[in-house]
């Protein structure tokens, strides 16, 4: 992966990216959509493929049911402009898992626990669409201008709701993630209600929705494929309400790709 993905981007793309970046730094979050990403035909095909591949994701065994997930993380290098994805740990059943950890200040339900997720397949990691999303999101953060090594994490999460059985996030409250920047991209939304994003000041982290004054909350819904947002973890906390199956449907689905970035060093300058 390299920065050349944007070499021939139209001027309108760069203007849009600058607007998104300004919104992120001014208010702690920013929203954007597929039109801002200027997808190629092959990337549009990748989007359809991700919908299909998400159907085989295993159930996330941490937290309540309805959440299916795979994950991978890798080290981005300023010098090589590439990501070295971790290979994970082979399991007796032939699968490969990746360890994932959050502190209790960010994850009140599983803080301090090493959660194990199915490693995201190379088929997904090599898709041009994912490549574009990662570099687009990284460019919005400005982190590549200040750090020579970053940990990039990528989750593919399918929230699958059944009649009378909503799918919920974990932690199921306002929270911060612990990574400086996180972007969320909708892949599919079908036969569901809920799943709305709620943004609030960071001091409401670990609070339930009803405990936060309504005037402190910004709410929006990712409705169409690649409706997206990016957050500055120090500036806000966020909450996603449960995904509920439509009344006349047998199953409802909300699938997202989540991409986050964390420095792997204390220095705030790239080598010259």
């Amino acid at each position: 992966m390299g920065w050349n993905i944007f070499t021939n981007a139209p001027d309108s793309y760069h203007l849009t990216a600058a607007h998104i970046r300004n919104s992120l730094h001014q208010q702690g979050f920013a929203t954007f959509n597929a039109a801002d990403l200027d997808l190629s035909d092959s990337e549009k095909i990748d989007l359809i493929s991700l919908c299909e591949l998400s159907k085989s994701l295993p159930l996330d065994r941490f937290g309540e049911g309805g959440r299916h997930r795979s994950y991978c993380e890798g080290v981005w290098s300023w010098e090589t402009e590439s990501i070295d994805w971790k290979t994970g740990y082979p399991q007796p059943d032939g699968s490969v898992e990746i360890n994932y950890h959050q502190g209790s200040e960010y994850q009140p339900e599983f803080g301090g626990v090493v959660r194990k997720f199915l490693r995201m397949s190379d088929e997904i990691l090599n898709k041009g669409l994912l490549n574009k999303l990662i570099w687009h999101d990284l460019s919005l953060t400005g982190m590549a201008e200040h750090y020579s090594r970053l940990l990039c994490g990528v989750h593919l999460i399918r929230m699958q709701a059944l009649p009378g059985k909503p799918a919920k996030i974990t932690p199921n409250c306002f929270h911060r993630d612990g990574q400086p920047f996180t972007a969320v991209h909708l892949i599919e939304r079908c036969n569901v209600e809920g799943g709305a994003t709620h943004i609030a000041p960071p001091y409401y982290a670990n609070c339930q929705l009803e405990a936060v004054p309504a005037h402190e909350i910004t709410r929006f819904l990712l409705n169409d494929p690649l409706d997206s947002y990016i957050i500055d973890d120090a500036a806000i906390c966020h909450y996603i309400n449960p995904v509920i199956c439509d009344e006349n449907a047998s199953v409802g689905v909300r699938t997202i790709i989540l991409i986050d970035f964390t420095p792997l060093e204390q220095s705030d300058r790239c080598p010259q």
Side-chain angles (χ1 to χ4, degrees):
M1 295 184 185
W3 292 105
N4 60 344
I5 191 167
F6 294 123
T7 300
N8 298 315
D11 290 343
S12 59
Y13 172 83
H14 294 293
L15 291 173
T16 300
H19 176 76
I20 298 168
R21 188 162 48 244
N22 288 339
S23 295
L24 171 62
H25 294 304
Q26 289 173 7
Q27 62 186 15
F29 72 96
T31 60
F32 51 100
N33 59 33
D36 300 315
L37 294 167
D38 189 40
L39 298 185
S40 67
D41 289 342
S42 64
E43 289 161 352
K44 293 175 183 177
I45 294 172
D46 286 345
L47 183 60
I48 297 171
S49 175
L50 285 171
C51 291
E52 290 301 311
L53 291 169
S54 71
K55 294 178 181 178
S56 62
L57 292 175
L59 187 66
D60 181 350
R61 58 184 181 268
F62 297 91
E64 298 185 38
R67 189 175 54 258
H68 302 250
R69 182 196 309 247
S70 68
Y71 172 71
C72 198
E73 61 186 27
V75 177
W76 170 84
S77 167
W78 176 85
E79 185 175 358
T80 64
E81 294 188 345
S82 64
I83 296 177
D84 183 15
W85 296 110
K86 295 184 179 181
T87 56
Y89 302 96
Q91 303 301 303
D93 64 359
S95 65
V96 179
E97 293 184 339
I98 293 281
N99 291 344
Y100 182 75
H101 177 271
Q102 286 177 298
S104 57
E105 67 271 35
Y106 302 113
Q107 179 35 288
E109 296 172 1
F110 296 100
V113 175
V114 177
R115 289 183 281 169
K116 299 177 183 295
F117 300 134
L118 178 73
R119 183 188 184 273
M120 187 173 289
S121 68
D122 288 335
E123 179 181 2
I124 294 176
L125 292 172
N126 291 330
K127 286 192 177 298
L129 175 59
L130 181 59
N131 180 76
K132 169 169 277 189
L133 294 177
I134 290 172
W135 296 123
H136 173 269
D137 297 343
L138 182 57
S139 73
L140 297 178
T141 70
M143 295 182 77
E145 302 166 14
H146 300 285
Y147 297 96
S148 60
R149 295 173 70 246
L150 298 169
L151 184 68
C152 175
V154 181
H155 301 253
L156 179 61
I157 303 173
R158 177 182 171 96
M159 305 289 285
Q160 186 167 296
L162 302 175
K165 295 183 178 180
K168 301 178 182 180
I169 65 166
T170 179
N172 190 28
C173 61
F174 277 94
H175 62 280
R176 295 167 59 204
D177 292 328
Q179 295 87 16
F181 292 95
T182 299
V184 176
H185 306 277
L186 184 69
I187 301 301
E188 180 183 19
R189 181 184 173 94
C190 181
N191 296 331
V192 295
E193 298 178 4
T197 302
H198 300 70
I199 304 290
Y203 43 80
Y204 289 111
N206 299 336
C207 291
Q208 294 297 317
L209 177 62
E210 56 271 18
V212 181
H215 71 274
E216 294 270 43
I217 298 173
T218 299
R219 179 185 181 277
F220 55 86
L221 189 68
L222 304 183
N223 195 58
D224 298 318
L226 293 182
D227 280 356
S228 305
Y229 65 92
I230 184 168
I231 58 175
D232 177 343
D233 198 57
I236 60 98
C237 64
H238 61 287
Y239 165 70
I240 313 298
N241 65 341
V243 173
I244 301 171
C245 185
D246 281 347
E247 183 177 352
N248 297 320
S250 60
V251 62
V253 171
R254 178 184 184 266
T255 303
I256 61 167
I257 282 181
L258 185 155
I259 300 170
D260 58 57
F261 304 99
T262 304
L264 289 175
E265 57 187 23
Q266 296 300 316
S267 172
D268 64 351
R269 292 187 181 274
C270 293
Q272 300 297 315

